[in-house]
């Protein structure tokens, strides 16, 4: 299994990872400080299993 996290606002990266077979496994809600109005950003946890990678 390969796993990673991606910022919730990084839509381009999310689309790329999904196109390569990664699936969203969870969310770390408001775990990063940022300069936005809310002051926080979430991370999406994504992974792909070896058997799924071979099928792509």
């Amino acid at each position: 299994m390969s796993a990673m996290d991606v910022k919730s606002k990084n839509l381009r990266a999310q689309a790329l990872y999904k196109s390569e077979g990664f699936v969203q496994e969870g969310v770390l809600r408001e775990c990063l400080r940022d300069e936005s109005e809310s002051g926080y950003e979430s991370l999406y946890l994504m992974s792909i299993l070896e058997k799924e990678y071979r099928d792509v």
Side-chain angles (χ1 to χ4, degrees), residues 10-47:
N10 193 344
L11 302 179
R12 293 176 87 184
Q14 291 175 44
L16 173 66
Y17 301 146
K18 287 179 183 178
S19 74
E20 294 299 318
F22 282 82
V23 295
Q24 184 177 325
E25 297 283 350
V27 180
L28 296 173
R29 296 170 43 199
E30 296 185 350
C31 65
L32 298 174
R33 294 273 300 160
D34 70 4
E35 301 298 322
S36 71
E37 185 176 306
S38 69
Y40 293 93
E41 186 173 1
S42 298
L43 284 177
Y44 294 148
L45 305 175
M46 302 184 79
S47 70

Side-chain angles (χ1 to χ4, degrees), residues 8 34 46 54 56:
S8 59
D34 70 4
M46 302 184 79
R54 291 182 183 182
V56 173

